[in-house]
Amino acid sequence: MNAIANALARSRFLRNDIDYHLLRAAMVIIFAWFGYDKWFTAEIEGLLPIITNGPLISWTIPTLGIRGTSIFLGTSEWTYGTLLLLGFWNKKLGVIGALGSTATFIATLTVMPFVPDAWLGDAGGFPAMTINTAFLLKDLVLLSVSLYLLKQDLARVLGVEPAR
């Protein structure tokens, strides 16, 4: 184990900020891809059980309709992804993107307790997840990444060393 740890320590793997750059790039790709899917009403129709039961997002379908919700979510995700991308060069834009990203994943995580058929009854219910719950659980990691990027960009904007 020590040989592996020493080899990694000599590599660029432990270079400062590699995690920051990899996480930022991953979030840009995720927002680009998920945002692209949102432009198709079939994606929103598949998400209807999740969207209509979310306390922070259920308003979108009655207010905007399926097509409007599709456009709203696709535009939001591409906007946050673009701001995160621009955050490589402009940390203030990165802060705005990370704030939007954080809000996105807070909104989607609040749906979990309200999703119909969230737990597998045949497996005893909670904590045995259905696909709807598993789909939302990934947002816990994405929220954590969003908060990490927000912390890092805020520290850079303010000119302080980010706490590790």
Side-chain angles (χ1 to χ4, degrees):
M1 180 62 196
N2 286 343
I4 294 170
N6 288 330
L8 287 171
R10 286 189 304 273
S11 75
R12 295 180 52 98
F13 184 74
L14 293 180
R15 190 187 96 207
N16 284 346
D17 290 345
I18 195 165
D19 54 345
Y20 168 77
H21 295 301
L22 287 174
L23 291 172
R24 179 174 296 283
M27 292 299 286
V28 168
I29 291 167
I30 287 168
F31 272 118
W33 211 318
F34 275 88
Y36 173 79
D37 284 348
K38 297 299 186 303
W39 288 99
F40 303 97
T41 55
E43 169 77 2
I44 298 303
E45 288 170 356
L47 294 174
L48 280 176
I50 293 171
I51 293 172
T52 57
N53 288 286
L56 299 178
I57 60 173
S58 60
W59 62 271
T60 58
I61 299 293
T63 304
L64 305 172
I66 290 177
R67 184 71 184 136
T69 297
S70 181
I71 292 168
F72 172 71
L73 294 177
T75 302
S76 297
E77 290 183 359
W78 276 0
T79 299
Y80 300 143
T82 300
L83 289 166
L84 288 171
L85 175 65
L86 294 173
F88 277 114
W89 302 279
N90 183 319
K91 300 309 169 215
K92 290 179 181 178
L93 293 177
V95 168
I96 297 167
L99 280 170
S101 182
T102 299
T104 295
F105 298 114
I106 287 172
T108 57
L109 281 170
T110 61
V111 177
M112 277 185 77
F114 307 103
V115 173
D117 303 319
W119 310 108
L120 286 171
D122 294 345
F126 179 84
M129 299 180 287
T130 64
I131 192 66
N132 286 345
T133 308
F135 173 75
L136 292 170
L137 190 58
K138 70 166 176 11
D139 290 354
L140 182 58
V141 174
L142 297 174
L143 174 60
S144 299
V145 172
S146 300
L147 290 169
Y148 173 79
L149 293 174
L150 179 58
K151 180 181 99 172
Q152 297 298 315
D153 285 346
L154 277 174
R156 286 172 172 84
V157 166
L158 296 173
V160 299
E161 182 64 27
R164 296 270 175 195

